[in-house]
Coordinates of all heavy atoms in Angstrom, one line a residue:
N80 N 0.8 -22.1 -45.1 CA 1.8 -22.9 -44.5 C 1.2 -23.9 -43.5 O 0.1 -23.6 -42.9 CB 2.8 -22.0 -43.7 CG 3.7 -21.2 -44.7 OD1 3.8 -21.5 -45.8 ND2 4.2 -20.1 -44.2
I81 N 1.8 -25.0 -43.3 CA 1.3 -26.0 -42.3 C 1.8 -25.6 -40.9 O 3.0 -25.6 -40.7 CB 1.7 -27.4 -42.7 CG1 1.2 -27.8 -44.1 CG2 1.3 -28.4 -41.7 CD1 1.8 -29.1 -44.6
Q82 N 0.9 -25.3 -40.0 CA 1.2 -24.7 -38.7 C 2.1 -25.6 -37.9 O 3.1 -25.2 -37.3 CB 0.0 -24.4 -37.9 CG 0.2 -23.6 -36.6 CD -1.1 -23.3 -35.9 OE1 -1.8 -24.2 -35.6 NE2 -1.3 -22.0 -35.6
S83 N 1.9 -26.9 -37.9 CA 2.7 -27.8 -37.1 C 4.1 -27.9 -37.6 O 5.1 -28.0 -36.8 CB 2.1 -29.3 -37.1 OG 2.0 -29.7 -38.5
L84 N 4.3 -27.8 -39.0 CA 5.7 -27.7 -39.5 C 6.4 -26.4 -39.1 O 7.6 -26.4 -38.8 CB 5.6 -27.9 -41.0 CG 5.2 -29.3 -41.5 CD1 5.2 -29.3 -43.0 CD2 6.1 -30.4 -41.0
E85 N 5.6 -25.3 -39.2 CA 6.2 -24.0 -38.8 C 6.7 -24.1 -37.3 O 7.8 -23.6 -37.0 CB 5.2 -22.9 -38.9 CG 4.9 -22.6 -40.4 CD 3.9 -21.4 -40.5 OE1 3.0 -21.3 -39.6 OE2 4.0 -20.7 -41.5
R86 N 5.9 -24.7 -36.5 CA 6.2 -24.8 -35.0 C 7.4 -25.7 -34.8 O 8.3 -25.4 -34.0 CB 5.0 -25.3 -34.2 CG 3.9 -24.3 -34.1 CD 2.6 -24.9 -33.5 NE 1.6 -23.8 -33.2 CZ 0.4 -24.1 -32.7 NH1 0.0 -25.4 -32.6 NH2 -0.4 -23.1 -32.5
A87 N 7.5 -26.8 -35.6 CA 8.6 -27.7 -35.5 C 9.9 -27.0 -35.9 O 10.9 -27.2 -35.3 CB 8.3 -29.0 -36.3
A88 N 9.8 -26.3 -37.0 CA 11.0 -25.5 -37.5 C 11.4 -24.5 -36.5 O 12.6 -24.3 -36.2 CB 10.6 -24.9 -38.8
A89 N 10.5 -23.8 -35.9 CA 10.8 -22.8 -34.8 C 11.5 -23.5 -33.6 O 12.4 -22.9 -33.0 CB 9.6 -22.0 -34.4
M90 N 11.0 -24.6 -33.3 CA 11.6 -25.4 -32.2 C 13.0 -25.8 -32.5 O 13.9 -25.7 -31.6 CB 10.7 -26.6 -31.9 CG 10.8 -27.2 -30.5 SD 9.5 -28.4 -30.3 CE 8.0 -27.3 -30.1
L91 N 13.3 -26.3 -33.7 CA 14.6 -26.7 -34.0 C 15.6 -25.4 -34.0 O 16.7 -25.5 -33.6 CB 14.6 -27.3 -35.4 CG 13.9 -28.7 -35.5 CD1 13.9 -29.2 -36.9 CD2 14.7 -29.7 -34.6
R92 N 15.1 -24.3 -34.5 CA 15.9 -23.1 -34.5 C 16.2 -22.7 -33.1 O 17.3 -22.2 -32.8 CB 15.2 -22.0 -35.2 CG 15.1 -22.2 -36.8 CD 14.6 -20.9 -37.4 NE 14.3 -21.1 -38.8 CZ 13.1 -21.4 -39.3 NH1 12.0 -21.4 -38.5 NH2 12.9 -21.6 -40.6
L93 N 15.2 -22.8 -32.2 CA 15.4 -22.4 -30.8 C 16.5 -23.3 -30.2 O 17.4 -22.8 -29.5 CB 14.1 -22.6 -30.0 CG 14.1 -22.3 -28.5 CD1 14.4 -20.8 -28.3 CD2 12.8 -22.6 -27.9
L94 N 16.4 -24.6 -30.4 CA 17.4 -25.5 -29.8 C 18.8 -25.3 -30.5 O 19.8 -25.5 -29.8 CB 17.0 -27.0 -30.1 CG 15.7 -27.4 -29.3 CD1 15.2 -28.8 -29.8 CD2 16.1 -27.5 -27.8
A95 N 18.8 -24.9 -31.7 CA 20.1 -24.7 -32.4 C 20.8 -23.4 -31.9 O 22.0 -23.3 -31.9 CB 19.9 -24.6 -33.9
G96 N 20.0 -22.5 -31.4 CA 20.5 -21.2 -31.0 C 21.0 -21.1 -29.6 O 21.7 -20.1 -29.3
G97 N 20.7 -22.1 -28.8 CA 21.2 -22.0 -27.4 C 22.4 -22.8 -27.2 O 22.8 -23.7 -28.0
E98 N 23.1 -22.5 -26.0 CA 24.3 -23.3 -25.7 C 24.0 -24.3 -24.6 O 24.9 -25.0 -24.2 CB 25.4 -22.3 -25.1 CG 25.8 -21.3 -26.1 CD 26.9 -20.4 -25.6 OE1 27.2 -20.5 -24.4 OE2 27.4 -19.5 -26.3
R99 N 22.8 -24.5 -24.3 CA 22.4 -25.5 -23.3 C 21.2 -26.2 -23.7 O 20.5 -25.8 -24.6 CB 22.2 -24.8 -21.9 CG 21.1 -23.7 -22.0 CD 21.0 -23.0 -20.6 NE 20.0 -21.9 -20.7 CZ 18.7 -22.0 -20.5 NH1 18.2 -23.2 -20.2 NH2 17.9 -21.0 -20.6
R100 N 20.9 -27.3 -23.0 CA 19.6 -28.0 -23.2 C 18.5 -27.2 -22.7 O 18.6 -26.5 -21.7 CB 19.7 -29.4 -22.6 CG 20.8 -30.3 -23.1 CD 20.7 -31.7 -22.4 NE 21.7 -32.6 -22.9 CZ 22.8 -32.8 -22.2 NH1 23.1 -32.2 -21.0 NH2 23.7 -33.6 -22.6
L101 N 17.3 -27.4 -23.3 CA 16.1 -26.6 -22.9 C 15.1 -27.6 -22.4 O 14.8 -28.7 -23.0 CB 15.6 -25.8 -24.0 CG 16.5 -24.7 -24.6 CD1 15.8 -24.0 -25.8 CD2 16.8 -23.7 -23.5
G102 N 14.4 -27.2 -21.3 CA 13.3 -28.0 -20.8 C 12.0 -27.7 -21.6 O 11.9 -26.7 -22.3
L103 N 11.0 -28.5 -21.3 CA 9.7 -28.4 -22.0 C 9.1 -27.0 -21.7 O 8.6 -26.3 -22.6 CB 8.7 -29.5 -21.5 CG 7.3 -29.4 -22.0 CD1 7.3 -29.5 -23.6 CD2 6.5 -30.5 -21.4
S104 N 9.1 -26.6 -20.4 CA 8.6 -25.3 -20.1 C 9.3 -24.1 -20.8 O 8.6 -23.2 -21.3 CB 8.6 -25.1 -18.6 OG 7.8 -26.0 -17.9
D105 N 10.6 -24.2 -20.9 CA 11.4 -23.2 -21.6 C 11.0 -23.1 -23.0 O 10.8 -22.0 -23.6 CB 12.9 -23.5 -21.5 CG 13.4 -23.6 -20.1 OD1 12.9 -22.8 -19.3 OD2 14.2 -24.5 -19.8
I106 N 10.8 -24.3 -23.7 CA 10.5 -24.3 -25.1 C 9.1 -23.8 -25.3 O 8.9 -22.9 -26.2 CB 10.7 -25.7 -25.7 CG1 12.1 -26.1 -25.6 CG2 10.1 -25.8 -27.1 CD1 12.4 -27.6 -25.9
A107 N 8.2 -24.2 -24.5 CA 6.8 -23.8 -24.7 C 6.6 -22.3 -24.5 O 5.9 -21.6 -25.2 CB 5.9 -24.6 -23.7
S108 N 7.3 -21.8 -23.4 CA 7.2 -20.4 -23.1 C 7.9 -19.5 -24.2 O 7.3 -18.5 -24.7 CB 7.9 -20.1 -21.8 OG 8.0 -18.7 -21.5
A109 N 9.0 -19.9 -24.7 CA 9.7 -19.2 -25.8 C 8.9 -19.1 -27.0 O 9.0 -18.1 -27.8 CB 11.1 -19.8 -26.0
L110 N 8.2 -20.1 -27.4 CA 7.4 -20.2 -28.6 C 5.9 -19.8 -28.5 O 5.2 -19.8 -29.4 CB 7.6 -21.6 -29.3 CG 9.0 -22.0 -29.6 CD1 9.0 -23.4 -30.2 CD2 9.6 -21.0 -30.6
G111 N 5.5 -19.6 -27.2 CA 4.1 -19.2 -27.0 C 3.2 -20.4 -27.2 O 2.1 -20.2 -27.7
L112 N 3.6 -21.6 -26.8 CA 2.8 -22.8 -27.1 C 2.3 -23.3 -25.7 O 3.0 -23.2 -24.7 CB 3.6 -23.8 -27.8 CG 4.1 -23.5 -29.2 CD1 5.0 -24.6 -29.7 CD2 3.0 -23.2 -30.2
A113 N 1.2 -24.0 -25.8 CA 0.8 -24.8 -24.6 C 1.8 -26.0 -24.4 O 2.3 -26.5 -25.4 CB -0.6 -25.3 -24.8
K114 N 2.0 -26.4 -23.2 CA 2.9 -27.5 -22.9 C 2.6 -28.7 -23.7 O 3.4 -29.4 -24.2 CB 3.0 -27.7 -21.4 CG 3.8 -26.7 -20.6 CD 4.0 -27.2 -19.2 CE 4.8 -26.2 -18.4 NZ 5.0 -26.6 -17.0

Side-chain angles (χ1 to χ4, degrees):
N80 294 335
I81 301 174
Q82 189 178 54
S83 59
L84 291 179
E85 289 182 328
R86 289 172 170 174
M90 202 168 284
L91 293 173
R92 292 191 187 98
L93 180 65
L94 291 170
E98 296 182 358
R99 57 186 176 87
R100 299 184 180 97
L101 297 176
L103 175 60
S104 297
D105 300 322
I106 295 170
S108 176
L110 299 179
L112 300 175
K114 283 188 178 180

